[in-house]
Amino acid sequence: MSYIDSNLLAGEQVVYRTRLHWLLFLTPVLFTAVVLLPIAWFLANGTWSRFAWIPLVLGLLVLLVTFIKRQSSDFAVTNKRVMMKVGVLSTRSIELLLSKIEAIAVNQSFIGRAFDYGDIVITGSGGTREPFTRIQGPLAFRRAVQSVTDTQSGRPPAVTPLAGSGGAPE
């Protein structure tokens, strides 16, 4: 059972859930392919062939740590709060009531926009800032918070003016 599922309040329902993006694996895979595999090949074809397994095991260990990091991260929007948890041995968890959230900033690079990942920074009342990096679907996360907040406040969702209308009454 995940952190979020085990910490839901009575009547609380998950509206949106995400985790760290799969591109988290890019650096460990490149490190394994570009550095560790050539080392293992040189060891296997040299006088130290009995040690060729060490770089391979190291590569698998790096990939396993990254897999555990991704699987243990949990980000959710419920009908009452925003919940986030990262880490296994050393964990960091944030739970903010929707009424205490002042802003959600989304930072995405060009590649982040192309692959739908980015960083989110949640600003709570009092100015506390909680950053989380490499989140999968950060814009959808922000939209989920906004839609739940709009539903609870009784306001209709924000309407953007049509292009060319200028938004001013005629």
Side-chain angles (χ1 to χ4, degrees), residues 97-158:
L97 295 173
L98 291 172
S99 62
K100 301 293 182 187
I101 296 175
E102 291 183 0
I104 298 179
V106 175
N107 301 314
Q108 284 185 300
S109 64
F110 176 74
I111 294 173
R113 287 182 31 196
F115 288 103
D116 193 28
Y117 77 93
D119 304 340
I120 58 173
V121 179
I122 297 182
T123 305
S125 58
T128 59
R129 296 171 47 123
E130 299 296 340
F132 289 90
T133 59
R134 296 186 202 128
I135 306 300
Q136 183 173 299
L139 294 174
F141 187 90
R142 181 174 63 188
R143 257 189 315 277
V145 172
Q146 291 169 339
S147 70
V148 172
T149 304
D150 286 345
T151 302
Q152 288 181 349
S153 68
R155 293 181 300 194

Side-chain angles (χ1 to χ4, degrees), residues 77-93:
V77 178
T78 71
N79 58 338
K80 297 183 179 187
R81 57 193 169 152
V82 171
M83 303 171 71
M84 301 181 205
K85 182 244 175 202
V86 291
V88 178
L89 300 175
S90 174
T91 62
R92 177 177 175 227
S93 63

